[in-house]
Amino acid sequence: MPRQLVFELGHRAASGREDFLVAPSNEAAVRLVDAWPDWPSHAVAISGPSGSGKTHLAEVWRAASGAITVEAATLATADIPALVSARALIVENLGALDDAGERALFHLLNLVKEEGASLLITSREPPARLPTRLPDLSSRLKALPHGELGAPDDALLAGVLVKLFDDRQLRVAEPLIAYLASRIERSIAQAREIVAALDRASLSGKRPITVPLAAEVLRELGLG
């Protein structure tokens, strides 16, 4: 019997502070963000690989501070004084910048300090390791208080899987969580991919999400 067509429907990922799972791999970043407004500096940074929880943690701080969010790639053409006037700002996905972007970021860091505003920067690599051509910017980035989000441990990966299923209003048995956690890479991004694939397979085949279905999906994804 052919599988039925599946239409991807939006689902809301729970992104409140109570939904953020804390473990040794991310507790330094969580502690730093939670310390606001008593930060050790007007600007702080968190870093980690794709899917490690940077955006979720930034959203937690946005909800607490009322911050606005901009992509680092847009800084070169942004109105920096207008951004700082918001008093709280998130710069997401900082990476290598061109000359104009570096000057804009340096101006932003200076103005945030002068105006007593707050800035949270997210990046895959720690800002201190990012390549920069502007020496003054390099020294500023190296001085930023920084929290790193690492790969999840066993308990965190299992908790993330449970949360991802809950976000889709899917209830699964504990043996399934243990099965998946022992077979996928320690990556929140891959956990998200697996849960989405299982949701699709369950809908298209009209089957419950069980260990046998998970085994099939992992084989299809080259992970079995």
Side-chain angles (χ1 to χ4, degrees):
M1 179 177 177
R3 292 184 177 183
Q4 69 179 46
L5 292 175
V6 176
F7 297 94
E8 284 287 343
L9 300 177
H11 65 279
R12 179 187 176 277
S15 58
R17 177 63 180 85
E18 68 279 6
D19 302 304
F20 193 92
L21 305 174
V22 182
S25 60
N26 62 24
E27 62 183 352
V30 174
R31 188 164 54 246
L32 179 61
V33 171
D34 278 352
W36 184 84
D38 298 319
W39 279 351
S41 173
H42 292 294
V44 303
I46 57 174
S47 69
S50 176
S52 61
K54 298 185 300 295
T55 296
H56 186 165
L57 193 52
E59 172 62 20
V60 168
W61 184 66
R62 187 204 62 76
S65 65
I68 62 172
T69 302
V70 298
E71 286 289 321
T74 68
L75 288 178
T77 57
D79 183 340
I80 300 300
L83 293 178
V84 176
S85 69
R87 310 301 301 165
L89 175 67
I90 299 167
V91 172
E92 285 262 50
N93 302 314
L94 181 63
L97 299 171
D98 60 17
D99 290 346
E102 287 195 5
R103 289 193 297 270
L105 179 58
F106 182 64
H107 180 35
L108 175 64
L109 289 167
N110 286 337
L111 200 57
V112 162
K113 183 176 181 179
E114 291 172 11
E115 298 296 327
S118 298
L119 169 65
L120 174 65
I121 294 173
T122 76
S123 60
R124 290 195 179 187
E125 291 291 326
R129 296 183 200 163
L130 293 175
T132 55
R133 294 171 296 282
L134 191 61
D136 287 342
L137 175 61
S138 178
S139 63
R140 292 293 174 85
L141 292 177
K142 289 176 180 176
L144 286 179
H146 168 248
E148 190 162 6
L149 295 95
D153 58 20
D154 289 349
L156 179 57
L157 185 58
V160 166
L161 286 164
V162 170
K163 177 189 179 302
L164 291 171
F165 281 117
D166 283 348
D167 287 348
R168 292 171 177 266
Q169 298 184 337
L170 300 171
R171 298 294 176 263
V172 297
E174 187 175 331
L176 173 74
I177 298 298
Y179 178 84
L180 291 174
S182 67
R183 284 164 174 78
I184 67 174
E185 70 178 34
R186 299 195 178 289
S187 158
I188 297 177
Q190 184 163 104
R192 187 177 292 116
E193 176 189 3
I194 295 299
V195 169
L198 280 168
D199 192 7
R200 289 193 299 270
S202 174
L203 287 170
S204 65
K206 295 184 178 179
R207 297 171 58 187
I209 298 177
T210 60
V211 169
L213 179 61
E216 291 179 22
V217 169
L218 290 177
R219 283 196 297 272
E220 289 174 2
L221 294 174
L223 301 172

